[in-house]
Amino acid sequence: KAFQIPRKTFSNSQKSGLTHAFEHNLLEYCVKKMYLCGMIKTLAISLPMLVCIFWSVLLLLDWWEQRTQAKARMVVFMVVAAILYGCHFIYFNHLHGWMPVTDVIYCMTNLSVFPLYYLYIKEVTEEHSRKHWQVTLLIPALLAGLATGALYLFMDEPEEQLFIEKFLYQGTTEGLCGL
């Protein structure tokens, strides 16, 4: 015969003690794992924001030494991206109290990052870029932010919480009523 594992027999009182010890160790293991998973989740969610903050600081220090319009635009882009990822951090960590404010900021920054990057690319690649029309690229972001803010102002507290829970987190419109 091949290798056999010896089996040990336990009395009922020993089994009860082993079961209790196993359950206690399992519970302790699960609590530690949940805490570790929570830490890993928080780190993973905050990492894009932290990277953007890091690059914002480095680019700002570089801009401080040599002030060019292209570097200034890149700093603005990175700061707006860091704010956008800060809003993601608040959303994915279910910080409901901050959601009305961050939802407004999210709408503005989400619609601003691509135009800001476009303006940076235009500044780097063109010899003479026209400056007067470039602000118009950010008008949709500003209007969306103002509209979102106005909608939150029209909601009372229970309606706001229902909107956040049902629409933003569950993706349903059940229980929501129109204006």
Side-chain angles (χ1 to χ4, degrees), residues 90-133:
I90 289 170
Y91 174 80
F92 287 116
N93 281 311
H94 295 270
L95 302 173
H96 293 255
W98 288 88
M99 280 307 298
V101 174
T102 56
D103 199 18
V104 172
I105 295 170
Y106 176 79
C107 285
M108 287 193 298
T109 56
N110 192 27
L111 293 174
S112 295
V113 287
F114 288 114
L116 288 172
Y117 191 69
Y118 171 73
L119 293 175
Y120 165 71
I121 295 296
K122 269 188 91 56
E123 186 70 36
V124 170
T125 58
E126 287 187 359
E127 191 71 31
H128 300 286
S129 60
R130 295 199 219 147
K131 308 261 191 256
H132 65 278
W133 66 270

Side-chain angles (χ1 to χ4, degrees), residues 79-90:
V79 167
V80 170
I83 294 169
L84 174 66
Y85 287 125
C87 294
H88 283 149
F89 178 81
I90 289 170

